């Protein structure tokens, strides 16, 4: 409701100002500008920019007041400056902007009350315009794309209004036209609210940079033409007479029209000339510029190469354009226009080096290095290698019919530049692919590491519980029984000293059993044989404890680090225990260890019942985790009725 009321008030103020202006022609220009601000307010409200619309309504009301009461012009200028400072989102977010707006409002009100001379109004207008333009320029670099578009459109309006004002003042001072320059100066300001509105309308906001560029070009042409005619007037040494003044004004207008139409007319004339000379289509230079612009955007690489091939065919290759991509001397025809079947090209080491360092090649060069690319019709052909730092990554092939003119030096230069850009794009794509693969591998390894850490913690807890259980059920029971028998022995000795011989034999047996249980438990934690004598003795000791026949073959040139030997020992021990549980009563186990300079390999096999693929248990996961912690790998091979083979490899070159 508040927005609708504000829009209605702004529109009513603009219409009132227009009415007053029509009644009094001296204020018509200001009324037109007020109406422009009212339209801008309505448009910003419709596109969802209420804050900007409120500022536009304020400026429209102030401008309408200036149309009715000339003394209010300084206040209107303060409103213009506040609007520029509030861009692009209609908020005075920083303290400096709020301070400048407040100072401008106070000074504007003071000038309105004091009714200063017109020259002071002009100076205030120049200062306000300069301050607003500076603020817009400073905020452009930090603004988002949408905000930057609003700033650029407003800046384009300010630039056009400023160049028009400078031209009008120059014309008036030198030629005395127009008769009432102030009216035209005010009318020229209407492009500012129009630009502000176009910067917030979605249909036009995205071309804000182009609008600003065109405004710069137009302003530059205008200032240049005015400067040229200023030199002409100064050359006369006097002010022109009436007839001369009319001639100068007409010629200036003609020059401005020619300047505006020069560029589009040149493009049209060049297209006509190419059609006459048989070279109609897209200029080769435009292909290069277009490809460079597309590379900077988020265009899929396949689509980018297809657009390049289509542009090359339209610009310089009527018989077709091809893009070859590959590496290590093997190239594939990725795409072609018109469409051709896939093809493969292999280059040896010398050919790859020569082709990668060539700028561009023709038919004679191809006959030596890549004769497979030559066509049967013998038409003009050019090949530009797509290389990066001497590495051949692709080829650009363009062809013309037999009766077509040969390729020019300009065509070759464009192909060389395209080859460099395509080579850089292919290199970057390979880097992106390698980076993505590395990230995927790191992500996979991180997931495996987290799972492995959880399994290790779980296994450590399980191992502690097993040790506690073994101590409680084994050694502790032996010690309890031994304590009971010792108490009994003391009572028997006191009553019947000669009846203790059998009891001491039992105590000796219990002590030996306790020692054996503790030794067995210690072997499960970390066998002393492994620490003192290495894998050979430790595995042979484990083989003797196996419930199945187990043979051990160890061919190692030296001892290895504790981490490596412990990992191999416990993996082999786990495999032997698994075989003893699941291979069957008639199975036999073999353990083989061997090493090279870089790898230590072990294999634990049995000829038992085996198991189906996918039935590997938790023990194999523990073995993989143990080996993976030191960079090793584990392979399990098993089939029902064909036994099981467990192989492990550990790099030892850097783990001596």
């Amino acid at each position: 409701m508040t927005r609708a009321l504000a829009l209605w008030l702004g529109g009513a103020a603009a219409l009132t100002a227009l009415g007053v202006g029509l009644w009094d022609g001296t204020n018509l220009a200001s009324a037109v500008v007020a109406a422009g601000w009212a339209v801008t307010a309505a448009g910003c409200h419709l596109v969802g920019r209420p804050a900007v619309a409120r500022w536009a309504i304020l400026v429209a009301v102030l401008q309408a007041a200036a149309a009715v009461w000339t003394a209010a012009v300084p206040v209107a200028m303060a409103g213009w400056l506040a609007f520029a400072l509030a861009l692009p989102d209609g908020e005075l977010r920083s303290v400096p902007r709020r301070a400048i707006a407040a100072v401008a409002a106070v000074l504007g009100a003071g000038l309105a009350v004091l009714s200063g001379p017109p020259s002071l109004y002009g100076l205030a207008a120049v200062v306000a315009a300069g301050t607003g333009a500076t603020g817009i320029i400073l905020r452009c670099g930090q603004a988002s794309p949408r905000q930057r578009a609003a700033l650029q459109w407003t800046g384009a309006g300010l630039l056009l209004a400023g160049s028009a004002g400078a031209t009008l003042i120059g014309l008036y001072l030198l030629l005395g036209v127009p008769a009432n320059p102030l009216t035209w100066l005010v009318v020229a300001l209407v492009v500012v609210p129009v630009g502000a509105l176009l910067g917030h309308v979605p249909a036009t906001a995205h071309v804000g940079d182009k609008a600003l560029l065109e405004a710069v070009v137009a302003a530059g042409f205008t200032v240049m033409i005015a400067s040229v005619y200023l030199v002409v007037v100064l050359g006369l040494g006097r002010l022109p007479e009436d007839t001369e003044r009319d001639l100068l004004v007409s010629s200036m207008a003609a020059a401005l029209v020619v300047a505006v139409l020069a560029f589009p007319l040149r493009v049209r004339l060049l297209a006509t000339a190419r059609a006459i000379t048989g070279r109609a289509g897209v200029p080769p230079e435009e292909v290069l510029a277009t490809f460079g612009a597309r590379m900077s955007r988020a265009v899929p690489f396949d689509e980018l190469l297809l657009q390049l091939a289509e542009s090359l065919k339209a610009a310089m290759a009527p018989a077709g354009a091809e893009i070859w991509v590959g590496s290590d001397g093997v190239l594939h025809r990725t795409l072609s226009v018109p469409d051709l079947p896939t093809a493969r090209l292999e280059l040896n080491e010398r050919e790859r080096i020569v082709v990668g360092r060539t700028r561009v090649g023709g038919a004679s060069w191809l006959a030596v290095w890549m004769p497979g690319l030559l066509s049967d019709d013998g038409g003009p052909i050019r090949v530009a290698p797509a290389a990066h730092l001497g590495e051949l990554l692709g080829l650009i092939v363009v062809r013309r019919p037999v009766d077509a003119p040969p390729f020019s030096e300009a065509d070759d230069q464009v192909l060389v530049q395209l080859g460099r850009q395509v080579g850089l794009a292919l290199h970057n794509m390979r880097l992106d692919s390698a980076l993505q693969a590395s990230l995927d591998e790191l992500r996979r390894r991180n997931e495996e590491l987290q799972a492995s850490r959880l399994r290790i913690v779980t296994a450590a807890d399980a191992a502690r519980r097993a040790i506690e259980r073994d101590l409680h059920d084994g050694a502790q029971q032996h010690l309890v029984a031994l304590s009971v028998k010792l108490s009994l022995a003391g009572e028997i000795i006191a009553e019947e000293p000669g009846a203790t011989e059998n009891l001491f034999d039992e105590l000796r047996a219990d002590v030996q059993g306790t020692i054996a249980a503790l030794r067995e438990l210690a072997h499960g934690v970390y066998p002393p044989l492994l620490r003192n004598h290495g894998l050979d003795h430790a595995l042979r000791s484990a083989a003797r404890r196996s419930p199945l026949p187990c043979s051990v073959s160890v061919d190692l040139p030296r001892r290895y680090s504790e981490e490596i030997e412990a990992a191999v020992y416990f993996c082999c021990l786990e495999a032997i225990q698994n075989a003893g549980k699941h291979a069957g009563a008639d199975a036999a186990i073999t353990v083989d260890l061997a090493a090279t300079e870089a790898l230590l390999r072990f294999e634990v096999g049995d000829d038992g019942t085996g198991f189906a693929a996918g039935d590997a248990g938790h023990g194999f996961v523990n073995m993989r985790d143990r080996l993976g912690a030191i960079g090793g790998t584990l392979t399990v091979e098993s089939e029902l009725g064909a036994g099981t083979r467990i192989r492990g490899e550990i790099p030892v070159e850097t783990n001596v």
Side-chain angles (χ1 to χ4, degrees), residues 15 29 170 188 198 202 244 259 261 277 314 326 385 440 547 608 652:
L15 292 176
L198 295 177
E244 292 174 336
L261 297 179
T277 58
D440 293 340
V652 296

Side-chain angles (χ1 to χ4, degrees), residues 21-323:
L22 292 175
W23 182 264
D24 183 1
T26 58
N27 294 324
L28 178 60
S30 185
V32 169
V33 177
W37 279 111
V39 172
T40 299
C44 291
H45 175 74
L46 292 176
V47 297
R49 301 288 186 269
V52 180
R54 286 193 291 270
W55 279 105
I57 291 171
L58 174 63
V59 179
V61 172
L62 294 177
Q63 192 65 38
V68 178
W69 181 38
T70 307
V73 169
V75 181
M77 288 189 292
W80 283 64
L81 177 57
F83 179 86
L85 295 174
L87 287 176
D89 50 9
E91 299 289 342
L92 294 172
R93 297 186 180 278
S94 64
V95 175
R97 282 195 275 171
R98 290 194 290 269
I100 293 173
V103 171
V106 172
L107 292 178
L111 288 176
V113 173
L114 297 176
S115 299
S119 58
L120 189 58
Y121 288 2
L123 178 61
V126 172
V127 172
T131 305
T134 302
I136 289 175
I137 294 172
L138 293 177
R139 291 194 298 278
C140 258
Q142 303 176 351
S144 64
R146 181 188 65 79
Q147 294 174 333
R148 190 179 299 115
L151 294 171
Q152 288 169 339
W153 269 106
T154 307
L158 285 171
L159 187 60
L160 290 176
S163 62
T167 304
L168 288 169
I169 293 174
L171 287 173
Y172 179 74
L173 293 177
L174 295 174
L175 305 176
V177 292
N180 187 6
L182 183 59
T183 300
W184 291 98
L185 284 174
V186 176
V187 169
L189 294 177
V190 77
V191 298
V192 178
V194 172
L197 175 60
L198 295 177
H200 289 93
V201 175
T204 55
H206 65 283
V207 293
D209 54 344
K210 295 182 180 179
L212 183 58
L213 291 176
E214 294 297 334
V216 171
V217 172
F221 274 131
T222 303
V223 174
M224 180 192 68
I225 294 170
S227 301
V228 169
Y229 281 90
L230 174 62
V231 173
V232 171
V233 172
L234 293 177
L236 292 175
R238 58 179 175 80
L239 292 176
E241 299 177 355
D242 293 340
T243 56
E244 292 174 336
R245 183 184 298 116
D246 295 339
L247 180 60
L248 282 175
V249 172
S250 301
S251 60
M252 288 182 69
L256 182 59
V257 171
V258 170
V260 172
L261 297 179
F263 183 75
L265 184 61
R266 178 181 180 274
V267 174
R268 184 68 61 183
L269 290 175
L270 286 176
T272 304
R274 291 191 184 94
I276 294 174
T277 58
R279 299 188 62 181
V282 181
E285 298 81 3
E286 187 173 337
V287 176
L288 180 61
T290 303
F291 181 77
R294 288 170 178 167
M295 279 184 61
S296 62
R297 303 172 187 168
V299 179
F301 192 70
D302 293 342
E303 180 67 22
L304 184 66
L305 293 182
L306 178 60
Q307 293 175 359
L308 174 61
E310 292 174 345
S311 300
L312 285 172
K313 185 179 185 304
M316 66 172 69
E322 306 169 14
I323 306 294

Side-chain angles (χ1 to χ4, degrees), residues 465-478 517:
R465 287 193 296 269
I467 292 173
E468 187 274 334
R469 184 177 59 252
D470 292 340
L471 287 173
H472 181 273
D473 297 340
Q476 181 177 334
Q477 297 299 323
H478 286 289

